[in-house]
Each structure stands twice: as C-alpha cells, then as structure tokens.
Amino acid sequence: MNATNWQQRVDDLWASFDDHDEEQFLAKMEQLVAELPEDSPVAAFERAGAFDSTGHSDRAVPLYRRALELGLEGSLRRQAVIQMASSLRNLGEVSESVALLTAERERASDELDDAVSAFLALALVDSGREREAVGLALAALARHLPMYQRSVGNYARELG
C-alpha cells in the first residue's frame, strides 16, 4: 500500500463528507481503514473521527483512546485529544474534557493551540466557569487582532 495515496484518499473522503449520507460515509471510511493493520493508531483515529462527525460520540471516544494507546503521534495525536475532549463534553463528561484540554495546553505549542483553547473554553462554559472561558477565548483571539492586541490580552488576563 502506498501511504501517500492512502492518505490522499482519506483526505478526499473527508473533503466530500457532505456528498454522502451517514451510512455511505462510514462504509467508505471502513473500507479505507481496513487497508491498514488492525493495530494501526491512524486507523483507530480515522474511524473515531468518522463516528464523531456523524454524531456518534459514544462510539468515537473508545476509538480515540485506542489510537492514543497505540501511540498516535504528531499533529494527529493532538487532533485526537481535541476531538476526544469535545466528544466527552458532548457526552456530559465535562470534567474529563477540561482535564484533557488543560493538560494539552501545557504541551509543546503548535498550530492547534487556538483549537485547544477554543474547545477548552466550551468545556469551561459547560462546567460553570464562564469568566475563565471568555478570558481564554479572548487571549486566543488577541493574537490575531490587527489592533488592540495588548488591551484585549490584558482584559483576558483579568477574566481568567
């Protein structure tokens, strides 16, 4: 199997997500992941994402856990943590979601930092910590403002 070709086919499937009904999408994803070894962390991750995106958080969480246990690495590892934490929040497991995302913020910085903050802010709202959530969201937003970065950053710190 050509890994580049496989990843391109997965990317193409995700790009055409809206062109499929739930059953078709899940079947196509199953066909693709069946090409990988059974103990592939990437296969578990892609299956989890497929279930997650079709509204099956309950089926996605165990697969995200499996992908992480199998050693999912790099950007996909971080995506799995974000997506699993979001699914956990949707399932009412807010404290675990907050804990996962809080720990993830302490890890090395990358292009997904603001995504971690956004999903943590959502989990904080669900846990009754709205001021902290707004502070976190404003801190993430401040870095992208063409003006007022310092002011918004200061307000964010006051709220957090």
Side-chain angles (χ1 to χ4, degrees), residues 97-119:
S97 178
V98 169
L100 282 168
L101 293 166
T102 300
E104 194 61 33
R105 286 189 78 223
E106 302 301 318
R107 295 181 68 94
S109 181
D110 67 11
E111 71 279 358
L112 294 175
D113 287 352
D114 290 340
V116 172
S117 294
F119 284 94

Side-chain angles (χ1 to χ4, degrees), residues 51-70:
F51 282 124
D52 211 355
S53 295
T54 54
H56 300 283
S57 295
D58 57 324
R59 295 178 72 184
V61 169
L63 290 166
Y64 286 131
R65 288 190 201 282
R66 175 96 171 118
L68 294 168
E69 289 167 5
L70 290 170

Side-chain angles (χ1 to χ4, degrees), residues 119-130:
F119 284 94
L120 178 54
L122 289 168
L124 289 170
V125 167
D126 285 356
S127 68
R129 296 162 57 185
E130 292 88 353

